[in-house]
Amino acid sequence: MFAFSAAELISLVSGYMWVLFRIGSMVMTMPVIGTQLLPMRIRLYLAIMLTFMVAPYIPPVPQLDVLSLTSWLLIGEQILIGAAMGFLLQLLFQIHVLAGQIIAMQMGLGFASMNDPAMGISVAVVSQVFTMLVTLLFLAMNGHLVAIEVLAESFVTLPIGETLRVADFYTLVLRFSWVMAAALLIGLPAVTALLIVNLSFGVMMRAAPQLNVFSIGFPLTLCLGLFIIWVLLGNMVESYQLLLGEALIWLREMVGAG
């Protein structure tokens, strides 16, 4: 029968508990893995498995009383770090969701929405198409593996017990402007093309007022919008590679791994 002293038990629990909170918070918030597509139990098993794989290779963790106030503060710090890393990756997906919303509103599909199984909310159909596409690209480019690699490196560059660098996470707030700018750049060609189409209908109505713009313009705008989306998809991989690379670089910079 195995017998453990109180100090040995605290050391054993501390060596894995701090790691589990950081890994678990990122697994619960990162794209694809942290969505409703995976059951909560599977995500928990994945976090525990990653904890047992990473914990033996990280620097020594502080030996604290598990029920002390300092221990609870350290738990909150690890949750904040992991959730910030997962949230930064979520911004990458929200770029394309926002771009799809912009395009859908311009082409008259803003009212056509469907349930997003990953987030559990209703989004425009165009946004759902973009979300499925970037999800497949994220997995095909091993983005999830790179994110897990950066997470493992964060225990070396940002050890458990080290004072949290607020400046590193301040840059996360500045990424909201990046989301809006990138979404506008993705949707700008489609918005410009549809604006030209709407201006053309305006000229037609001015030249021939007897034409019914609603019966002619709406289906034509919808068809042209679908054609423009088809053209945009040809350049989607290159633009997504740039955005994914930029997001992963910022993820490394946030934890001091790059």
Side-chain angles (χ1 to χ4, degrees):
M1 182 177 180
F2 296 99
F4 294 97
S5 63
E8 292 175 343
L9 187 59
I10 291 175
S11 176
L12 182 63
V13 172
S14 300
Y16 288 90
M17 186 175 66
W18 317 129
V19 182
L20 177 61
F21 278 107
R22 183 184 297 191
I23 293 178
S25 58
M26 181 176 176
V27 169
M28 297 298 174
T29 55
M30 69 179 296
V32 184
I33 298 177
T35 60
Q36 298 181 7
L37 296 175
L38 283 181
M40 183 68 70
R41 183 177 300 177
I42 301 299
R43 283 180 274 172
L44 179 60
Y45 290 160
L46 179 61
I48 294 175
M49 182 186 67
L50 291 175
T51 300
F52 280 99
M53 294 174 62
V54 172
Y57 302 100
I58 66 173
V61 299
Q63 303 298 320
L64 301 173
D65 185 4
V66 179
L67 300 179
S68 64
L69 178 60
T70 306
S71 175
W72 286 103
L73 292 176
L74 191 58
I75 290 175
E77 183 179 282
Q78 302 311 306
I79 294 175
L80 177 61
I81 294 173
M85 295 175 68
F87 183 71
L88 182 57
L89 292 175
Q90 284 285 0
L91 293 181
L92 176 66
F93 279 62
Q94 295 307 312
I95 288 173
H96 298 84
V97 173
L98 184 58
Q101 293 278 7
I102 295 173
I103 296 174
M105 292 297 294
Q106 292 297 318
M107 62 184 295
L109 278 180
F111 64 90
S113 61
M114 62 181 298
N115 183 60
D116 184 2
M119 304 300 296
I121 58 176
S122 295
V123 297
V125 175
V126 180
S127 297
Q128 185 63 21
V129 172
F130 283 2
T131 301
M132 291 187 293
L133 179 61
V134 297
T135 300
L136 294 176
L137 290 175
F138 184 77
L139 296 175
M141 296 178 183
N142 293 327
H144 58 298
L145 298 181
V146 177
I148 294 175
E149 179 185 357
V150 176
L151 176 61
E153 292 177 1
S154 69
F155 290 100
V156 178
T157 59
L158 196 61
I160 298 174
E162 182 178 319
T163 303
L164 189 63
R165 297 190 294 260
V166 180
D168 294 336
F169 294 92
Y170 175 73
T171 57
L172 184 63
V173 180
L174 302 179
R175 302 312 178 204
F176 287 104
S177 59
W178 168 66
V179 171
M180 180 61 69
L184 289 176
L185 287 176
I186 294 175
L188 188 60
V191 172
T192 304
L194 292 172
L195 178 62
I196 295 174
V197 172
N198 290 329
L199 289 176
S200 301
F201 283 123
V203 174
M204 290 174 56
M205 283 295 298
R206 188 69 175 177
Q210 65 274 15
L211 291 177
N212 190 348
V213 67
F214 294 102
S215 61
I216 300 175
F218 180 76
L220 188 58
T221 302
L222 182 60
C223 294
L224 289 175
L226 294 175
F227 174 76
I228 293 169
I229 292 176
W230 175 69
V231 174
L232 286 177
L233 292 180
N235 194 41
M236 181 65 73
V237 177
E238 288 78 7
S239 62
Y240 182 75
Q241 284 179 335
L242 295 175
L243 293 174
L244 179 61
E246 195 170 359
L248 292 176
I249 289 174
W250 284 341
L251 185 65
R252 288 181 178 273
E253 291 177 351
M254 187 176 66
V255 296

